[in-house]
Amino acid sequence: MKTVAELEAKLSEASDRLINDLHKVDGDLLILGAGGKMGPSLARLAAQAIRAGGMNKKVTAVSRFQNQEVKNDLESAGIKTISCNLLDDQEFMQLPAADNIIYMAGNKFGTTGREYYTWAMNTYLPGKVAEKYKDSRIVVFSSGNVYPFSPVALGGVDESVPPEPLGEYAQSTLGRERMFEYFSHKYGTPMLLYRLNYAIDLRYGVLLEIAQKVHEGKSVSLTMGHANVIWQGDANEIALRSLLKCQSPPEILNVTGPETMSVRWAAQQFAKRFGVTASFEGSESETALLSNAAKAFREFGYPRVGLLEMIDFIAEWVESGGPTWNKPTHFTERKGRF
């Protein structure tokens, strides 16, 4: 992949298993917070699967759409768009009903100094959404940041581990889950809490950040010496297929790749492809923010795009000067300050 068009086509490839599962999901799809890093590709993937399966379903993407180009691209893909500030009561109440909700709205970066806004987006807004869409099926995007750091040798925490959020972003993200959980208990709304870390696109993500450091001859930090990653197309597919797994009380699902990836190893893989030597700063800690996604693999199968493929894709993208979004993940953060 050397162009954005080729990347978007790859991200919107609908598998047979996705098409089959969406056939089993009654009703239309409403994506709240669809203008972020993952939302547009998830919307396109859903629309492509619906077309390929000959289904009579509509996909509607809701966002402030501060980037008009994103809005136009979605509409050209046959997706209805609605521009809406979800925190504006008047605009929010005008949103249409839908049988199926993918909730992707939230705030992470820029939390420090604007904690009040992060809490409004991550905890206050979910209560409004859960009340308005109490008769819907809801997949709630969350984060592995709600978990504690765990010893690298354990291979990540599974869904049975109680949350121990570090910092206000992670705390407010757990607040999001608790608000949805409350209304699921109150109304019997079927939900799934989708705890993700970290999705990989060629324009942003953990692997891109490592590749750029190696390519530019800069030292790679080993502060967070290990991480989990998953191809964004696979993460989006799991989110859509998770509509079939919603229940009350909410199901919890860790979503990431199967490997406990060594940052040092990944940097060395990029160095081989670039024909350079990787340099490092610091040393690996005994703990990291890691999730075990065995439950997701049992339910949905393993990701279609593997770790070495992602590394190959990103190495080629970086060498060819592919566009990037300059949206750092801050995956090395160990104090929860975003």
Side-chain angles (χ1 to χ4, degrees):
M1 292 173 286
K2 294 185 178 180
T3 68
V4 171
E6 290 172 338
L7 170 58
E8 295 292 2
K10 178 71 174 176
L11 290 172
S12 61
E13 286 180 351
S15 69
D16 290 341
R17 59 193 187 187
L18 172 59
I19 295 168
N20 291 338
D21 277 358
L22 286 184
H23 266 294
K24 302 172 189 175
V25 176
D26 296 328
D28 296 332
L29 176 65
L30 183 70
I31 305 169
L32 299 177
K37 296 190 292 293
M38 292 182 67
S41 62
L42 184 144
R44 280 189 289 266
L45 176 62
Q48 176 60 25
I50 289 168
R51 280 193 299 270
M55 296 171 241
N56 184 25
K57 303 179 194 292
K58 292 187 297 184
V59 178
T60 301
V62 179
S63 172
R64 285 177 294 171
F65 287 116
Q66 294 173 308
N67 185 334
Q68 185 65 34
E69 185 178 351
V70 172
K71 187 174 190 293
N72 294 342
D73 287 345
L74 289 176
E75 290 174 351
S76 67
I79 297 161
K80 180 180 178 181
T81 65
I82 298 176
S83 296
C84 174
N85 177 357
L86 294 172
L87 287 175
D88 184 294
D89 288 341
Q90 187 172 359
E91 292 184 21
F92 176 76
M93 293 310 297
Q94 296 299 314
L95 292 176
D99 291 320
N100 304 289
I101 308 294
I102 304 288
Y103 183 81
M104 307 182 78
N107 188 69
K108 181 176 184 179
F109 304 117
T111 290
T112 302
R114 294 186 74 210
E115 291 83 358
Y116 60 90
Y117 178 74
T118 293
W119 281 91
M121 283 296 299
N122 292 353
T123 305
Y124 166 69
L125 177 60
K128 292 175 56 179
V129 170
E131 181 82 58
K132 178 177 174 63
Y133 292 104
K134 62 182 182 293
D135 298 320
S136 302
R137 187 184 294 110
I138 309 175
V139 172
V140 179
F141 267 65
S142 185
S143 170
N145 282 93
V146 301
Y147 288 123
F149 287 5
S150 63
V152 174
L154 293 183
V157 298
D158 64 19
E159 292 85 352
S160 68
V161 174
E164 290 184 31
L166 178 65
E168 294 214 34
Y169 161 68
Q171 291 165 10
S172 67
T173 299
L174 180 59
R176 172 197 300 152
E177 292 190 5
R178 296 303 189 217
M179 288 298 98
F180 276 109
E181 186 179 10
Y182 167 76
F183 284 100
S184 179
H185 279 273
K186 181 177 181 179
Y187 296 119
T189 306
M191 300 180 183
L192 180 139
L193 305 177
Y194 176 100
R195 292 176 176 170
L196 172 69
N197 60 305
Y198 288 96
I200 297 297
D201 187 322
L202 303 187
R203 295 162 292 191
Y204 82 97
V206 171
L207 290 177
L208 175 66
E209 292 171 25
I210 296 171
Q212 288 176 319
K213 292 274 191 182
V214 174
H215 193 255
E216 295 167 8
K218 297 179 180 177
S219 296
V220 175
S221 172
L222 297 175
T223 302
M224 190 77 77
H226 297 81
N228 301 129
V229 295
I230 184 171
W231 178 245
Q232 183 170 293
D234 287 315
N236 283 338
E237 175 174 315
I238 292 173
L240 292 168
R241 295 177 67 200
S242 291
L243 287 165
L244 288 177
K245 303 297 180 181
C246 293
Q247 63 181 42
S248 178
E251 184 81 353
I252 299 174
L253 190 71
N254 291 347
V255 179
T256 192
E259 300 92 353
T260 297
M261 184 192 75
S262 159
V263 171
R264 183 187 297 271
W265 174 86
Q268 290 170 339
Q269 290 295 313
F270 283 118
K272 289 179 184 178
R273 286 156 177 78
F274 297 146
V276 300
T277 300
S279 60
F280 302 94
E281 58 184 42
S283 59
E284 292 88 347
S285 299
E286 294 182 357
T287 61
L289 183 67
L290 296 167
S291 295
N292 181 320
K295 179 179 175 181
F297 305 142
R298 181 188 65 190
E299 299 291 342
F300 302 111
Y302 280 84
R304 290 192 294 167
V305 178
L307 179 54
L308 283 175
E309 287 179 278
M310 287 186 270
I311 288 173
D312 286 339
F313 291 161
I314 288 173
E316 183 178 38
W317 190 260
V318 169
E319 285 199 301
S320 65
T324 60
W325 285 339
N326 192 28
K327 294 182 178 181
T329 63
H330 300 282
F331 80 95
T332 60
E333 175 60 43
R334 296 187 67 89
K335 296 184 178 180
R337 297 172 183 163
F338 298 100

